[in-house]
Every structure is written in C-alpha cells, then in structure tokens.
Amino acid sequence: MQPTTSSLLQSLPVLLRIRIIPLLLIVMSATLPVPLNAFGEYQAIFNIEPEHLARSTLPVPNSTKSFWFTDPDVSPSPKHGSEGPLTEDADICIIGSGITGVSAAYHLAKAFSEGDAVKGLDRPVKAVILEAREFCSGATGRNGGHLTSHVFFEFHHQQSSYGTEEALRSYRIEEYVVNEVKTLLDQEDKLDYVDFVPGGRLCLAFTERELLEAKSDFTSAKEAGVDVSNVTWFSKEETQQKYGAPYPSVLTPGNNLWPLKLVSVLYNLANKIGAGNQSSAPAFTVDLHTETPVTSISSLPQTNNSSELFPRRHSVVTPRGNISCSYVLHATNAYASHLLPHFTGPDGIVPTRGQIIATRANVTEDILTKTGGVGNDGFEYWFPRPLKEPQEYPLVIIGGGREITKSERFELYQTDDSVVDEQVGKALRAFLPTVYPGKFEAGKEPEMEWTGIMGFTKSGDPFVGPVIDPTNPDSPIYRGQYISAGYSGHGMPRAYACAEAVAKMIVADVRKEKWEPPEWLPRSYLTIGNTSTSS
Ligand SMILES: Cc1cc2nc3c(=O)[nH]c(=O)nc-3n(C[C@H](O)[C@H](O)[C@H](O)COP(=O)(O)OP(=O)(O)OC[C@H]3O[C@@H](n4cnc5c(N)ncnc54)[C@H](O)[C@@H]3O)c2cc1C
Ligand SMILES: *[C@@H]1O[C@H](CO)[C@@H](O)[C@H](O)[C@H]1NC(C)=O
Ligand SMILES: *[C@@H]1O[C@H](CO)[C@@H](O)[C@H](O)[C@H]1NC(C)=O
Ligand SMILES: *[C@@H]1O[C@H](CO)[C@@H](O)[C@H](O)[C@H]1NC(C)=O
Ligand SMILES: *[C@@H]1O[C@H](CO)[C@@H](O)[C@H](O)[C@H]1NC(C)=O
Ligand SMILES: *[C@@H]1O[C@H](CO)[C@@H](O)[C@H](O)[C@H]1NC(C)=O
Ligand SMILES: *[C@@H]1O[C@H](CO)[C@@H](O)[C@H](O)[C@H]1NC(C)=O
C-alpha cells in the first residue's frame, strides 16, 4: 500500500511535522479534480441558444434513487393517489409536488381557513396536486439538502443588476424562508424528524479571485445594511486547523435537512389546517395524484358569469383523464417549458442535470465537524449527515462536478435523471479526498449516486406570477394560470416563499382584491411589472 501523506505525517516527530506542513499543503491544494474559474464560460454557454432547441421533456419515469428515498415510512407514500379514480374537477390544480407545489398548497390552506374565507362559497375550496412520478421525486427529492441563504454572496452582481433595494430583498427573502421553515418545524416538533442541522456552511476559496470577490461582496453588503453578524473569516492556516482543508474560507450560518420530509410535513399540515377543528366546517381540501403527468392544458368554453367564484377555465389533460380547473399553478420547475413552450431556451427555464454522491468519511464527526461546505463558485456543495451512532463515520452528501462537462454544455438541456454521468461521478469521488486530505479515503466507492434536474434561468432568479405569453400578452388562454419556477439550483431558501407569493395572488384574485407584494419579495422575480393581478 502506498503511504498516504497523513500516515507519513503521523509517523513524524511533532516539531518536524509543524515545519513540513506548509510544504505539503502547497502540493495538496494544487490538484483539485474539477476545473476552477469555470463560471464565466458557463454563463457564455448558457446564453447561446442550442442548435436543436426543444421544450423540456416530461420527467423520465425511471429516475435514479436518491438518498432521500431511503426511509420507507414517509407519509404521503411515494405512490399516493396513483390508482383508483382521478379527481375530475378542482378549483386549483397544482402541477408538481416539490417544495413549490406543496408550499403553495400549505399557504392556500392557511389563507382560505383564515377570516371569513371566501364570501358566498358554501363548500371548501378544493385543490389537487398532480405529480408525474412519485411524491416529491423532482429536484426537491434529489437535491443536496442545504437550506442555506446566500447571506452576502453575489452582492455586487445583485446590486449592479437591480439596485440596492432589490439586492437587499434578494437576501431578505432567503432569511425569511430559513426563519419561517425553522420556526414551523419547531412548532410542529419536526426538527428532529427532518434531521435539521444548523451546522453552518464553510465557503472555501480555491482561488485568489474567489477570496477577493467574497470579501468585496461582504464589505459592500455590510455597508448596504445586510446582517453579516454571524459571518466568520478564516485564513488558510485557521481553516486547515479547524476543518482540515488548506484554503482560506468564510463561515456563514447554514442548515441542512431532509428535503422530502420537509415537504411531507407541509403536505400533512395543508390537510390538517384545511380540515379545521371539530367546531368549524372544512375550508380547504387538497388531493394528491402521483404518477399522473399533465401532458397538456386546454381551454374550456366560458359562460362569462361574473358571479361565479370559480369559473372552470382549463382542462388539465393526463393519461388518467382530464381535470377541470379554475386556477392552474405550474410548480414544475425544470420541466416548465413542456406545458408552457414560451419558457423554452435561455430566456426561459433551462433544465440542467445535477449529480450527487453519498460517501462515507474516514474520520469521526468530532474531527470532521457538522459544518457543510461550498466552493468553486458554488459548483460543489456538501455536508455531513447527522449520525445515529456517534462513533460511526459520517455519510457526506456532495453534489457538483458538472463543470467538468464543459464541452457538453455543463449538463444544460439534460432532462434524463435515470442515468449518472461517469466523468462527473469521477470528479465527485475525487473531490473530498483532495480538499480534506486524510479525512476521506481516495478511490472509495460512494454508497449512493444519483442525478436530478434543476431549472436554470439567465438571471439566476425564478419566474413568479401569472403566466403571460410574451408574444401575445393579452391572450385569455392563460387567464388563471400561474408559475413559480426556475430557482437555478438555489431553491431551498426561496421556493417556499415564492410559492407563498403565488398562492396569495390566487387568493387575491378569487376575492377580487388587489395583491400587494410582500416586502421580502424581489420585484425582479415577478412575471408582471404591474403588481395587480385582479382582472
Ligand atoms: C442535484 C440537485 C442538487 C441541488 N441542491 C440544492 C441545495 O443543496 N440547496 C438548494 O437550495 N437547492 C438545491 N437544488 C435546487 C432545488 O432542489 C430546487 O430549486 C427546488 O427543489 C425546486 O423545487 P420545485 O418544487 O420548484 O421543483 P421540483 O422539486 O423539481 O418539483 C417539480 C415537480 O413537478 C413534477 N412535474 C414536472 N412536470 C410535470 C408535469 N407536466 N405533470 C406532472 N408533474 C410534473 C416533477 O416530477 C417534480 O416532482 C438542487 C437541485 C438538484 C437537482
Ligand atoms: C446569529 O447567531 C445568533 C446566535 O446563534 C442568533 O440568535 C442570530 O439569529 C444569528 N443572526 C443571523 C443573522 O443569523
Ligand atoms: C365570453 O367572453 C369572451 C371574451 O370576453 C367571448 O369571446 C365569449 O364569446 C363569451 N362567451 C359567452 C358564452 O358569452
Ligand atoms: C351565475 O353563477 C351563479 C353562482 O354560481 C349562479 O347562482 C347563477 O345561476 C349563474 N347565472 C347564470 C345566468 O348562469
Ligand atoms: C381530454 O382532453 C383532450 C384535449 O381537450 C381530449 O382530446 C380528450 O378526449 C379528453 N379526454 C377525456 C377522457 O375526456
Ligand atoms: C429509462 O427509460 C427510458 C425510456 O423512458 C430509456 O430510454 C432509458 O434507457 C431508461 N434508463 C435506464 C437507466 O434504464
Ligand atoms: C482510513 O482510516 C483507517 C483507520 O480508521 C486508516 O487505517 C486509513 O489509513 C485511513 N485512510 C486514509 C486514506 O486516510
């Protein structure tokens, strides 16, 4: 067996070790298995329309299995509502059962259960969630599990694109989501159930440029009033000593959790809140049909009866039958352009494949720490899973590596998550043993490996609001259709709130009230300049 650098170090006398460390570090930090500084090239490629541009496919049926599907006891079950009769008619049809669709259902349940609900309606408001595959089997059920806000990263980019006020909102929304989700889980006594770990996230600077950019974003964000009180900077030596990674770094507040379980908690809450208590009639119901892909949406003939609260406008078409709906929410993220062709291409939402491995560390948690990590302009991200037995070695979930496929366009326009990319897998396997010398075994096979499809936009920000066809803005065919999608790989700290915003737009439209954007919502996310959605 080849002696590793760490075993060599252990056999040296302490004094000699101290002198030899800096030399070894220079050698070790030079050989990352992924290209650095790839972000500019990625953006340039993103902006080029591919030769054979086509709307997204539907989700493929035979996706790889993610770590988040290893607990068989999650309720609702993966195939909930996939058999038996299909709901034929609903006030609100939600397409997609990820964090967006289910958060929308939760916020609709809350809004319709409050106050005097909907005036003149003598029955519960009825919603249905339609999911092409298993419950929450899209990006949310296959992601890296980070619920971590940007805190100050990318401040200059946000400020130069949208101005200071908007830049501040882009951080406020993330802070809002992290606080809301944490408070909600705490109130429901579900923090342990979702394995919530507020372990922080360490951003490693692999290049001088990344370090300078982060420092400059930090300074400007702080000056503009962003709360950076819990941000800590470490030199290369300090990072090596605390975390065993020889790079300068910055530690920000950050959490990780089990995303599928968070979504299951929200789904069950939506039902519970809608059902009300024993003394009140139910105000809201939500059905769920998995394995029910929506293949198209067609318009229903209108009676133009203005006293009807929920006129059925749309027929949502599935292989199991059609559903008449008044409102349709596209919570389809990467796949949005399948039903909404005008979201095809770089100005819309580009499906982009991400890959993840779950690999066992070679040291205990007290050495590895509970802190997650991110680096290389965000291309790689990882965190250790909490342990049942403290003496075990932690399982680390790490995603990224797609910048190694530069020549194949960074996995843009890939919708097949039934396969993994070998090149990306190789880079992911080599990453942690390189970054944390001696803490991972090089060459070791991961325990799991999977892919998932993200929805990227040119700005990096999602589309939130009524569906508007840019080539025909006055077309009535999208009346009552809304979208919240395109989180560009950073959805956990945003989707929950974007879904809240669209849910409240629908509620305002039903009640014929004017919708006012919440203070924390970046206006640049909105599909409409005019914030009123009342017709
Ligand atoms: C590998 C990977 C790693 C990621 N890591 C992180 C991370 O660590 N932190 C973070 O913040 N974000 C991360 N993201 C991004 C994050 O997961 C997403 O932004 C977020 O989950 C989007 O939620 P959503 O509900 O909008 O979309 P999804 O969870 O994708 O839900 C959309 C659902 O719609 C269904 N659907 C689509 N079309 C149809 C149709 N026509 N009919 C019926 N159903 C349909 C899909 O099957 C899917 O279940 C990652 C994503 C991936 C793929
Ligand atoms: C900073 O940390 C303290 C103590 O953990 C916490 O109460 C506070 O909310 C944190 N602030 C931010 C902005 O994260
Ligand atoms: C309802 O109104 C639309 C346009 O506002 C019109 O095209 C349609 O013919 C009307 N339908 C009926 C039944 O009056
Ligand atoms: C219009 O809708 C209301 C409420 O659903 C109903 O009571 C009324 O009969 C309808 N009017 C016509 C002309 O269909
Ligand atoms: C569903 O709608 C489509 C498109 O309008 C139509 O072709 C089809 O016949 C409908 N199916 C059923 C079962 O009604
Ligand atoms: C998944 O199914 C598709 C067809 O739907 C097929 O082309 C592909 O090879 C399958 N993938 C795997 C890994 O079986
Ligand atoms: C992994 O850990 C074992 C003992 O726990 C040790 O013998 C081995 O050298 C370690 N491997 C690496 C690559 O550090």
Side-chain angles (χ1 to χ4, degrees):
M1 203 186 89
Q2 283 279 98
T4 62
T5 42
S6 61
S7 61
L8 267 177
L9 278 174
Q10 273 154 26
S11 61
L12 292 168
V14 171
L15 262 176
L16 204 60
R17 249 192 272 170
I18 290 166
R19 299 193 48 182
I20 207 164
I21 281 172
L23 266 175
L24 281 171
L25 296 186
I26 290 161
V27 175
M28 289 187 291
S29 51
T31 51
L32 284 171
V34 285
L36 301 176
N37 299 317
F39 192 76
E41 197 175 335
Y42 157 73
Q43 256 187 335
I45 286 181
F46 186 95
N47 292 340
I48 302 168
E49 194 168 289
E51 211 174 314
H52 304 289
L53 183 62
R55 66 189 179 138
S56 172
T57 66
L58 282 170
V60 303
N62 48 353
S63 50
T64 46
K65 183 175 172 177
S66 88
F67 178 84
W68 311 120
F69 279 83
T70 55
D71 184 341
D73 293 327
V74 172
S75 163
S77 68
K79 296 190 193 304
H80 183 107
S82 60
E83 285 175 357
L86 182 74
T87 305
E88 285 177 3
D89 174 271
D91 300 313
I92 304 159
C93 288
I94 298 170
I95 310 173
S97 66
I99 179 81
T100 300
V102 177
S103 169
Y106 166 73
H107 284 101
L108 288 167
K110 270 177 68 169
F112 285 126
S113 307
E114 276 166 7
D116 52 359
V118 184
K119 277 197 195 74
L121 192 72
D122 54 3
R123 58 169 181 83
V125 175
K126 187 175 167 186
V128 60
I129 300 175
L130 303 162
E131 167 54 53
R133 306 195 291 207
E134 298 188 328
F135 177 67
C136 196
S137 62
T140 313
R142 331 174 63 77
N143 70 18
H146 294 244
L147 176 65
T148 298
S149 74
H150 270 156
V151 187
F152 66 85
F153 291 107
E154 294 174 26
F155 187 82
H156 278 134
H157 167 74
Q158 288 292 331
Q159 194 181 37
S160 61
S161 306
Y162 307 111
T164 303
E165 199 188 341
E166 271 288 286
L168 289 174
R169 284 202 186 100
S170 76
Y171 300 94
R172 229 171 275 147
I173 186 174
E174 299 192 8
E175 202 181 304
Y176 170 77
V177 170
V178 173
N179 287 337
E180 286 287 299
V181 168
K182 192 173 156 189
T183 304
L184 184 149
L185 290 169
D186 191 19
Q187 279 167 357
E188 296 298 315
D189 202 17
K190 295 288 188 192
L191 284 169
D192 286 345
Y193 173 68
V194 305
D195 287 339
F196 190 91
V197 180
R201 186 159 79 176
L202 192 69
C203 177
L204 298 171
F206 297 132
T207 64
E208 186 70 14
R209 176 197 52 83
E210 282 179 278
L211 184 64
L212 291 177
E213 258 175 37
K215 287 205 159 150
S216 141
D217 281 334
F218 173 83
T219 307
S220 303
K222 190 177 174 184
E223 275 167 17
V226 173
D227 183 353
V228 292
S229 51
N230 292 348
V231 174
T232 316
W233 295 86
F234 297 117
S235 68
K236 174 174 170 172
E237 291 69 30
E238 287 167 328
T239 315
Q240 167 65 23
Q241 210 219 335
K242 274 180 183 298
Y243 298 100
Y247 308 92
S249 68
V250 53
L251 179 67
T252 63
N255 315 285
N256 60 70
L257 49 63
W258 192 304
L260 170 64
K261 291 187 176 179
L262 165 65
V263 173
S264 81
V265 168
L266 287 174
Y267 175 78
N268 292 316
L269 264 178
N271 275 291
K272 193 173 127 190
I273 293 168
N277 53 37
Q278 274 148 349
S279 61
S280 63
F284 177 82
T285 64
V286 55
D287 290 343
L288 165 66
H289 291 291
T290 64
E291 300 194 324
T292 308
V294 175
T295 52
S296 66
I297 300 171
S298 52
S299 300
L300 292 173
Q302 294 299 293
T303 58
N304 296 349
N305 179 347
S306 64
S307 46
E308 236 180 310
L309 284 164
F310 287 101
R312 298 297 185 244
R313 303 182 185 100
H314 307 292
S315 175
V316 166
V317 179
T318 85
R320 299 178 62 197
N322 298 350
I323 306 159
S324 302
C325 315
S326 303
Y327 293 91
V328 174
L329 172 57
H330 295 259
T332 47
N333 202 40
Y335 309 96
S337 65
H338 187 78
L339 296 173
L340 300 170
H342 62 273
F343 281 102
T344 307
D347 292 320
I349 297 172
V350 177
T352 305
R353 185 166 54 204
Q355 190 159 321
I356 295 190
I357 62 171
T359 183
R360 194 72 62 182
N362 201 37
V363 290
T364 49
E365 188 179 74
D366 54 333
I367 296 172
L368 194 68
T369 80
K370 292 182 180 181
T371 303
V374 65
N376 198 14
D377 295 317
F379 274 117
E380 279 70 47
Y381 45 90
W382 59 93
F383 74 84
R385 296 260 317 123
L387 295 168
K388 289 199 186 73
E389 304 293 334
Q391 70 276 17
E392 275 179 20
Y393 291 165
L395 190 65
V396 179
I397 307 271
I398 168 163
R402 71 190 167 92
E403 69 279 25
I404 206 149
T405 70
K406 275 197 269 192
S407 55
E408 293 133 58
R409 302 186 58 113
F410 292 82
E411 300 287 83
L412 295 165
Y413 298 97
Q414 299 294 333
T415 57
D416 185 358
D417 58 7
S418 73
V419 292
V420 297
D421 182 284
E422 207 175 312
Q423 239 189 317
V424 174
K426 211 173 143 207
L428 285 175
R429 281 163 178 72
F431 189 82
L432 291 171
T434 313
V435 173
Y436 296 91
K439 298 208 156 103
F440 293 84
E441 206 153 351
K444 191 165 146 181
E445 270 304 291
E447 295 183 10
M448 288 187 83
E449 182 167 29
W450 66 91
T451 47
I453 313 301
M454 309 178 274
F456 271 77
T457 67
K458 197 176 257 178
S459 65
D461 291 331
F463 294 101
V464 179
V467 175
I468 294 161
D469 182 349
T471 61
N472 189 4
D474 298 322
S475 164
I477 64 163
Y478 292 121
R479 169 82 182 95
Q481 294 197 34
Y482 292 78
I483 185 167
S484 183
Y487 307 99
S488 306
H490 189 56
M492 292 303 284
R494 303 198 281 184
Y496 171 91
C498 294
E500 174 178 351
V502 280
K504 289 187 173 164
M505 288 179 195
I506 293 173
V507 173
D509 195 67
V510 172
R511 293 183 175 157
K512 302 194 164 50
E513 292 167 358
K514 187 177 179 336
W515 176 78
E516 296 291 348
E519 194 276 326
W520 42 255
L521 184 70
R523 292 358 181 204
S524 57
Y525 291 10
L526 292 171
T527 55
I528 31 153
N530 179 354
T531 54
S532 165
T533 67
S534 293
S535 53

